[in-house]
Amino acid sequence: LISVPLFMHVINITGSNNARNRGDLPKPKPPCRPGFSESFYTVFVSRDILQGRSILKVKFDACQVTGAVGFESSDPNFSVRPDGSIYTEQEVANLSEPVQFMVTAKGHNLDLHIWETTVKLALAGHPSSTSINPVRALFLRHQSGSSPISLRRQKRDWVIPPINVPENSRGPFPQMLVRIRSDKDRDIQIRYSITGAGADQPPNDVYNIDPVAGKMFVTRPLDREERASYHVKAHAVDMNGIQVESPIDLYIYVIDMNDNRPEFRNQVYNGSVAEGSKPGTHVMKVTAHDADDDTTANGIVQYRILSEMPHNPSHMFTINRETGDIVTVAAGLDRERIPQYTLIVQATDMDGSQTIGLSNTATALITVTDINDNPPEMTARTFLGEVQENKLGAVVTNLTVTDRDQPDTPNWRAVYKIVHGDPQGHFTINTNHMTNDGMLTVVKPVDYENNRSFMLTVVVFNPVELAKGIQSSPQSTAGVSISVKDVNEPPYFPSNPAMIRFEEGVPAGTTITIFAARDPDIFTRQRVRYSKLSDPANWLQINTSNGEITTMAMLDRESVYVKNNIYEATFLAADDGKPSATGTGTLQIYLTDVNDNAPVLVPREAQVCERSRSGSRVNLTANDPDADPSAGPFVFDLPPYPQAIRRNWTIVRLNGYYTQLRLKLHHLESGVYNIPILVSDSGNPPLSNRTVLKLKVCPCDENGDCTTIGAVAAAGLGTGAIIAILICIIILLSMVLLFVMWMKRREKERQTKPLLIDPEDDVRDNILKYDEEGGGEEDQDYDLSQLQQPESLDHIISKPAGVRRVDERPVIAESQYPVRSALPHPGDIGDFINDGLRAADNDPTAPPYDSLLVFDYEGSGSTAGSVSSLNSSSSGDQDYDYLNDWGPRFKKLADLYGGGDED
């Protein structure tokens, strides 16, 4: 190491491995690769460099980069023009220390590649400049105008070239890279340190430095794909931490190694090419990316096709080794023969070397798209069909074609056209989009009597033209023979509806027309029968054989069945074919008017005030169902008799259709007046009508409206009649009110009236509800002692006072019920029951409701013996005649056992 008075000396230990790595490769002419011509530029500038003046022009080789390349500077004080010229944004005289920055180049398209170079500027003629170590001197040319600028030694400055470190180094680590030393370490002790990315910034501790010796080490293997360069600053301080030298920049570049295989963007690529394409037609492009440095052979990828399926004697496709573009290499692509090809494409780095390069594969699927190179062809020369006459929408026959082009495309779809044999347009052909068949359909009914058969000429073609170079005819022709089948057609009326004119009033029995139908089946002789289908007024009848129509009643134009002077009737014509066919016809009779209706006065009833300032008057008109000129204008007049009519009333003509009836007197008593009025029309001769106008005269209020009482009085009822009606209504309402009150009182008495039935005659059964039910088998174990007379009454005495059960023995002094004599007596049963009933009625302990009376309470001291000791007597000598003395209640028992009179 040569000691010179400058900031620091840097000794590069690692050197560059690029030349060594490439030295083993063959030496063909290298292909053009995009990038800067130099990775590091050092320039000394003078003070007279003004703002905006070019300093340096970096050279960038675009090669295969599409579109313009843009340049950017990492230092905002410097900018780069599109041609690579670097210029200052401010005066360089302000530069007190050397400046180093990065220049980046990148494309404006979707290419993600970025290229970088380093530029270092130093101020020439600085007072502190020293001579550069001749061992480390570098010389680079910079084209600025015509004067080359060389790198020179400067006082107190050192141009440090980048440090290159290969990636994936195996060590041992830490591995020394450079040694940094200040020339002041002879006088004082110096401590060295580094800062920046890879040192004290993420990723931390990649590099470290011996603080005493100044040796800089890398601590672990580097990965260029993870980080391609590092920028650290070296510092020198004394033992007190005072800076003794300005920091210097160290740029460390990671040298690429071939440690990444090319990776395709997709594992499967889909492309297409039209059938019949010429050789050289571009099909698709496959792209593989290698993470290694693409400026070296490590990242240079080349492509080739490993296999092509299906196999052909000659390959149909080839691939550009450098770009990955797949093109056709031979003619003869036919979709109908091979619709798809499968290619296995390999990408290899190291310029495609199959020995040392790394490879990867992908699949390219190439679909051969269809062109219209096959016209449709009819499957037969002649097609046959049959259709019934007069049938609309029927499919006569299906025309079938074959087309080898791709289904459901315009190249395959068939279009049919009738070119001959159907001048009237009876048929059309619709294409079935599922089968491509042509459906020959009837769109206009055919008539067997006019055409018994058709012979059509049909052509079929595609909706798009044939591809260029196809020598076949674009269409195919076939004939269609159609036979028409005869059917029984219904008779028809030539004029339907038929219109005739008649005057109204035509008498019954008049023949008005012959409404005959025709049978279109001219080749079959059939008879036609007629009948009436609709005749609203029942005016007409038709002859069943010849269709002659006569009247059954007089025709009246004013009938409700005549609309707009036209009367319509419908008739039915039926032939005798099998099956029979029927047709209908409508006959319209236009009835002209005659003056056969007298006018009628309107209104028939009116109402006026008995006193009116303007006089009592009524507006009248007339209604005539006849038409003009047999209707209005009308003539209104009062009859000469009775004379009181003209003495009290007068007619004033308003116009030909309206008149006014006026009262001559100033006052007229309230009431109803019948005024006869004569009305005549304008017919020839005119008809007149005498109509009675019922006019009600009543007292009116200030608005001129009849009062309610006045209207009633005007209806013909006097004051006495009105009072009588009101009294009747009041009496009727009073009777209804009295009847309702009587019904309510009767209902109340019926609810409070005691029962009047003798208890001896009340034979209703009384049921006591104890709300106790027996259970299943587990409840069959009864305690019969609870039913016996208790020995102690303590549990009864302790119960609160209240109503007790009828079978519970009372605690208070009991009523003395009679005791039955031990000796039977014929009459003691009835006496015993009556005495017990009286005792029960007087018993204060008895419940207040009907209940079962206990006439003999059996307890432990019962005098009754066991009934099991009784034996039936078989002697038959016992006498039951005493039962007849016990009264009517025992009569049935006495008849059964007493031996009464036998029937």
Side-chain angles (χ1 to χ4, degrees), residues 688-710:
S688 300
N689 185 19
R690 178 188 174 97
T691 304
V692 176
L693 175 64
K694 185 177 181 181
L695 187 63
K696 299 178 182 178
V697 180
C698 61
C700 300
D701 54 16
E702 62 275 6
N703 296 325
D705 298 327
C706 279
T707 60
T708 304
I709 298 178

Side-chain angles (χ1 to χ4, degrees), residues 558 593-600 622-636 653 656-657 678-689:
E558 289 74 33
D593 184 47
V594 296
N595 192 17
D596 57 346
N597 292 281
V600 177
N623 182 22
D624 194 334
D626 292 327
D628 292 335
S630 298
F634 303 104
V635 177
F636 301 89
R653 176 185 172 88
Y657 293 90
L678 297 177
V679 184
S680 301
D681 59 19
S682 298
N684 187 17
L687 296 179
S688 300
N689 185 19

